[in-house]
Amino acid sequence: MESFSQLLAESTRIHGHICAGQVIGVRMAMAALERIGITDPKGADRKKLYVLVEIDRCATDAIQSVTGCSLGKRSLRWLDFGVMAATFVNLDSGRAVRAVAREEARALSENYYPEVVDKYQRQLEAYTIMPLDELFVFQEVRVEIPACDLPGRPLRRVQCSLCGDWVQDCRERERGGAILCRACDGERYYREVAAPNRIPPSSIAP
Ligand SMILES: [Zn+2]
Ligand SMILES: [Zn+2]
């Protein structure tokens, strides 16, 4: 794997700015990968690695950058828990580590670079050198990943009987024998202001 400074530079470029979250994310991902036996996440090990992130904040971009895992590759899953934590899974061995960023790290950062006046700058710089156990709690875990959540071709594609949208990856719902997309099953997050310009399912020849 590349060095910490190379990985931090790369994640800063992708994220768009340097911040404490980049430092936390890079250090978390590097340490977790080592613990699950992944040494070449973007090369030889790329199909073995799966990451579940628990927050959509700066560090998540760094985790994506270091691991090479992404939503589009289905090797990164976002769980909206609002916790600065991520679980790194070696799909080959089943080894998995959940890393949580410690809240105490903010206060502990005052022991490093006391001459830096700005709190956020001090945290950023301190996080680059603080020992891992001051920054994170690592926990060995087991994760059952459903077949429908794994990378690879979709296991199924079905059409919503109400709106006609096609639903992949087992995300459809069944109500009274009818197949529905999640939006038609009550989870629609938008309001229509114009009719969609699509062909209704009933007019498609069987
Ligand atoms: Zn940031
Ligand atoms: Zn629908």
Side-chain angles (χ1 to χ4, degrees):
M1 211 181 343
E2 294 155 274
S3 71
F4 169 72
S5 58
Q6 284 172 310
L7 290 168
L8 182 63
E10 172 72 356
S11 82
T12 300
R13 189 184 65 76
I14 290 170
H15 182 59
H17 62 242
I18 179 81
C19 59
Q22 297 315 294
V23 177
I24 288 289
V26 169
R27 291 201 66 191
M28 179 194 279
M30 289 179 77
L33 293 184
E34 195 188 329
R35 281 162 173 73
I36 60 166
I38 298 278
T39 53
D40 189 9
K42 292 177 212 164
D45 292 333
R46 70 185 187 284
K47 294 202 168 153
K48 294 182 196 168
L49 183 56
Y50 193 93
V51 179
L52 303 103
V53 293
E54 299 183 20
I55 199 163
D56 50 348
R57 286 275 170 192
C58 291
T60 300
D61 279 355
I63 291 168
Q64 173 164 343
S65 167
V66 172
T67 61
C69 293
S70 74
L71 281 178
K73 288 184 230 162
R74 306 195 91 221
S75 50
L76 180 77
R77 182 154 299 278
W78 170 46
L79 301 163
D80 195 8
F81 287 11
V83 177
M84 189 65 83
T87 297
F88 301 76
V89 185
N90 182 327
L91 294 172
D92 254 18
S93 65
R95 280 174 74 187
V97 162
R98 178 170 179 265
V100 190
R102 293 183 62 190
E103 188 62 25
E104 299 87 333
R106 294 178 199 274
L108 289 168
S109 73
E110 289 170 25
N111 301 331
Y112 304 83
Y113 298 109
E115 70 279 11
V116 178
V117 180
D118 180 75
K119 183 173 79 173
Y120 297 105
Q121 186 64 26
R122 188 175 60 234
Q123 285 174 357
L124 191 163
E125 291 185 31
Y127 293 165
T128 65
I129 58 164
M130 281 168 66
L132 285 170
D133 61 359
E134 290 189 356
L135 292 175
F136 307 111
V137 175
F138 295 102
Q139 178 185 19
E140 206 172 314
V141 295
R142 286 273 172 269
V143 186
E144 302 294 336
I145 303 169
C148 284
D149 287 359
L150 286 167
R153 291 192 174 280
L155 293 187
R156 48 174 201 268
R157 300 176 71 242
V158 295
Q159 192 171 22
C160 175
S161 59
L162 279 185
C163 72
D165 281 352
W166 285 86
V167 183
Q168 303 193 36
D169 302 315
C170 324
R171 266 50 176 179
E172 72 275 13
R173 299 284 165 75
E174 213 187 306
R175 292 278 167 213
I179 300 291
L180 298 179
C181 71
R182 285 176 63 168
C184 290
D185 192 40
E187 290 185 48
R188 196 175 308 278
Y189 63 90
Y190 57 89
R191 264 187 308 124
E192 288 183 323
V193 294
N197 62 334
R198 71 172 134 229
I199 311 164
S202 55
S203 71
I204 300 170

